[in-house]
Amino acid sequence: MKRSEWLFLVALLAALALVPLLASNLVINFLVTALIVALAALGWNILGGLGGQISFGHAAFFGTGAYVTELLQLRLGANAWAAAVAGIAAGALVGLAIGAAVFRARLRGSYFALVTLAFAEVLRILANALDVTGGASGLLLPLQPGAAHFQFDQRSVFAWIGIACVGAVLLLTRHMMNSRFGAHLAAVRENEDAARALGVDILATKLRAITLSAAITAAAGVFYVQYFLYLDANIGYGTWISIEALLAAIIGGVGTMAGPLIGALALHGLGELTRGFAGSITGIDLVIFGLLLVAAIAFAPAGIVGAWKRYVGGRRNA
Amino acid sequence: MSGGDAMLEVSNISRSFGGVRALGGLSLSVAQGSITGLIGPNGAGKTTMFGVISGFVAPDTGSVTYRGADITREPAHLRARRGIARTFQIVQPFAGLSVGENIAVGSYLRHAKPSEARARAEAVARRVGLGAMLDQPASALTVSGRKRLELARALATEPDLLLLDEVLAGLNPSEIRDILPVIHDIRASGVTILMIEHVMQAVMALCDDIFVMAQGRMIAEGKPDAVCRDPQVIEAYLGHGAAARMQEAGNA
């Protein structure tokens, strides 16, 4: 990671932190939603981008984080912050369990993608059917503004917490990429046989990656539920978050540090704009997402970050 | 070569793929500190044998013993930790990583600290002649560069036993001349080497002992000059009756 990239990221986060001071609630709402998706995408990127294991089922972790946080507060009266920590831990555990099942069976590529999707769908159907998760009518967390309850009157506080979380995950990602674990993960992504020959424990490396990845995406779920207070099976375990997490990372730049954040902002920015222009057409933003994905794969397979690097590199060499 | 000082002892290995018997109960041993050659015509099963030794191919029968420990069923990455490193005949670079990052994956095996691992990788790169390429993407290397990268990554794991699968194949004579001293130097540093090689000039120059395989069987073993004159070996390479014809030609 070059210093210029790092400076750019710090500047971007600082600029985002100023937004709540200047903008309307509508814009802050957009920012918080984008940050939640960015967080989920940063989690996805660790397994999918850095580790090359493309998951279609990160909703399994997002939903687990959200449900565990909400249920512990609703059913057991747990403190919101403790519930948040438990939600992240539960998401990590689900990641480890799915990883143990799938990676032990040596599933890779499209098989891995399909099986992760299946796990998320099973959880969605269960959450929709069971009483404890509120079934189809969902769960509402009572409004109790106050820092002790991880709820805030002002949306701007959520935005700042979101920015801090994204910043923390970016730091963690950078540290990881520069570590032995990061090197092992890159080796597993590039060539498993060569990695094994060099003493890399493929299974252990993948399990670490999916656990970390799941924990971060679960944190996005926790954040979602504390912000919106409402949760049902289609929100928590729905395919929307699986798709947005991977779209944001791919459109932003797979395996790059800034990619998931930039992708989430771009995706949601465009989604909001199209809803503004053509709000009467239901699902028009999904059409835009689809077109964006096709465009990204056709013209910028390395995402926005990759295309920008190529542009800057081209100008420098010219 | 007696079994007493053998570092690696492979005995009675067989392995079939479907109806094809790739390895038919063969044995070999490698003495500590030696360079041992494994030669034979295409399709003899040499690379499968390497797979068995390095943990990539599970044998149907037989055993692999390394420094007295039975490692027949041990996974590949644990064998690497024991000190067995291999290169691949078909080079397997981490194409998306730089040369330095490729080699560092190897050096991380013994050095957890990133700064140490990178320093070790740099030293190994210089040793095999890739010192100037550290920041190049591995995909930009020439054939000869990729072969060196295979060697460098394996060396970076600081092995005691190095398995080289045709590191000289595809190189031109001057590139071979450049890389032979590197292999000599590796042995001089105390690493035992088992090499599959087709370039006979190199085999004769480097190897202390040679094993010859043909069609999944071990047909000869011994010192390089003796193996070269072995009629069975000549027939395996040149066809049935070749040894007799060469004898006649020699007498005429």
Side-chain angles (χ1 to χ4, degrees):
Chain A
M1 170 112 204
K2 285 195 212 109
R3 176 169 300 195
S4 58
E5 284 175 72
W6 191 239
L7 278 176
F8 167 77
L9 268 177
V10 172
L12 177 64
L13 287 177
L16 290 178
L18 291 177
V19 169
L21 299 176
L22 311 166
S24 66
N25 263 348
L26 198 71
V27 174
I28 299 174
N29 198 38
F30 155 74
L31 179 61
V32 172
T33 314
L35 285 169
I36 289 169
V37 171
L39 208 50
L42 281 164
W44 184 91
N45 194 44
I46 290 189
L47 184 66
L50 304 179
Q53 314 297 314
I54 307 289
S55 149
F56 280 4
H58 261 51
F61 317 133
F62 182 88
T64 300
Y67 267 112
V68 168
T69 305
E70 178 145 13
L71 286 171
L72 284 177
Q73 291 177 74
L74 278 179
R75 308 273 188 249
L76 300 175
N79 171 272
W81 294 97
V85 172
I88 293 170
L93 216 60
V94 168
L96 182 63
I98 291 179
V102 177
F103 292 136
R104 234 172 241 288
R106 306 228 174 115
L107 294 182
R108 281 196 270 174
S110 40
Y111 295 99
F112 174 73
L114 285 174
V115 171
T116 51
L117 175 64
F119 272 108
E121 281 294 282
V122 166
L123 289 170
R124 185 180 67 81
I125 290 161
L126 284 177
N128 203 42
L130 295 176
D131 285 336
V132 68
T133 49
S137 56
L139 296 170
L140 194 61
L141 202 58
L143 186 66
Q144 295 173 286
H149 305 294
F150 196 165
Q151 292 183 26
F152 305 96
D153 277 331
Q154 287 180 316
R155 290 172 185 217
S156 47
V157 179
F158 275 108
W160 287 324
I161 293 177
I163 290 165
C165 286
V166 166
V169 171
L170 284 171
L171 277 174
L172 178 75
T173 307
R174 184 174 77 151
H175 175 74
M176 206 203 75
M177 284 171 85
N178 288 327
S179 73
R180 165 150 78 174
F181 172 57
H184 282 180
L185 198 53
V188 166
R189 175 190 70 215
E190 296 289 330
N191 190 322
E192 289 194 9
D193 278 347
R196 282 202 296 158
L198 298 174
V200 178
D201 186 337
I202 307 279
L203 181 62
T205 304
K206 286 180 176 175
L207 286 181
R208 263 181 91 173
I210 197 172
T211 306
L212 186 61
S213 171
I216 294 166
T217 301
V222 169
F223 199 69
Y224 181 98
V225 94
Q226 291 303 131
Y227 182 70
F228 289 103
L229 301 176
Y230 175 73
L231 183 65
D232 68 18
N234 287 321
I235 293 172
Y237 288 123
T239 44
W240 74 277
I241 188 66
S242 296
I243 290 171
E244 289 202 15
L246 80 91
L247 272 188
I250 289 173
I251 288 171
V254 170
T256 64
M257 272 198 44
L261 175 60
I262 290 170
L265 290 169
L267 208 59
H268 271 264
L270 274 162
E272 291 301 317
L273 279 179
T274 32
R275 266 199 292 264
F277 286 123
S280 55
I281 309 172
T282 315
I284 186 74
D285 50 329
L286 294 178
V287 175
I288 297 296
F289 286 4
L291 289 175
L292 258 182
L293 181 63
V294 172
I297 288 167
F299 303 112
I304 296 171
V305 173
W308 172 253
K309 276 187 193 162
R310 212 171 45 189
Y311 171 72
V312 172
R315 278 175 42 131
R316 207 166 281 157
N317 293 338
Chain B
M1 187 170 42
S2 65
D5 57 348
M7 182 184 218
L8 179 75
E9 196 73 69
V10 179
S11 60
N12 198 31
I13 292 288
S14 65
R15 170 68 205 233
S16 299
F17 295 101
V20 181
R21 198 165 165 83
L23 300 176
L26 34 73
S27 306
L28 66 78
S29 65
V30 176
Q32 173 123 27
S34 70
I35 296 184
T36 303
L38 182 58
I39 66 171
N42 286 325
K46 304 180 296 291
T47 294
T48 307
M49 190 68 172
F50 256 35
V52 169
I53 297 170
S54 57
F56 281 77
V57 176
D60 299 330
T61 68
S63 68
V64 182
T65 310
Y66 176 70
R67 292 191 150 154
D70 183 350
I71 59 167
T72 315
R73 302 284 157 205
E74 194 166 77
H77 70 273
L78 295 181
R79 298 189 200 199
R81 282 177 203 177
R82 278 185 190 273
I84 302 176
R86 72 168 291 179
T87 66
F88 290 91
Q89 179 188 4
I90 300 164
V91 293
Q92 310 274 356
F94 302 124
L97 307 185
S98 72
V99 169
E101 287 167 336
N102 263 271
I103 303 172
V105 174
S107 54
Y108 269 120
L109 184 63
R110 312 279 178 219
H111 306 275
K113 233 174 112 188
S115 56
E116 273 175 36
R118 285 190 203 119
R120 292 288 313 162
E122 210 178 311
V124 173
R126 276 200 300 273
R127 194 167 163 199
V128 302
L130 288 173
M133 314 284 214
L134 279 171
D135 296 324
Q136 304 271 328
S139 52
L141 290 176
T142 60
V143 173
S144 143
R146 285 173 195 214
K147 294 282 185 180
R148 284 168 193 264
L149 182 59
E150 281 286 322
L151 189 58
R153 278 195 321 205
L155 273 182
T157 65
E158 297 170 27
D160 299 319
L161 173 63
L162 183 58
L163 309 174
L164 302 178
D165 195 348
E166 294 203 35
V167 282
L168 303 178
L171 303 189
N172 67 39
S174 86
E175 287 166 341
I176 291 175
R177 267 200 306 279
D178 286 345
I179 212 160
L180 287 184
V182 176
I183 297 175
H184 259 305
D185 168 59
I186 293 167
R187 191 253 289 266
S189 72
V191 179
T192 306
I193 296 174
L194 175 62
M195 61 193 302
I196 294 176
E197 200 49 72
H198 275 307
V199 180
M200 289 309 286
Q201 160 210 359
V203 174
M204 300 300 285
L206 289 170
C207 294
D208 304 308
D209 299 289
I210 293 180
F211 288 84
V212 188
M213 285 176 67
Q215 296 178 344
R217 301 195 169 278
M218 206 61 87
I219 58 168
E221 63 173 279
K223 298 290 164 198
D225 46 348
V227 163
C228 274
R229 286 194 302 269
D230 189 313
Q232 262 195 298
V233 174
I234 295 168
E235 297 214 342
Y237 271 96
L238 300 177
H240 186 64
R245 284 198 298 280
M246 279 178 76
Q247 191 93 45
E248 276 169 33
N251 291 342

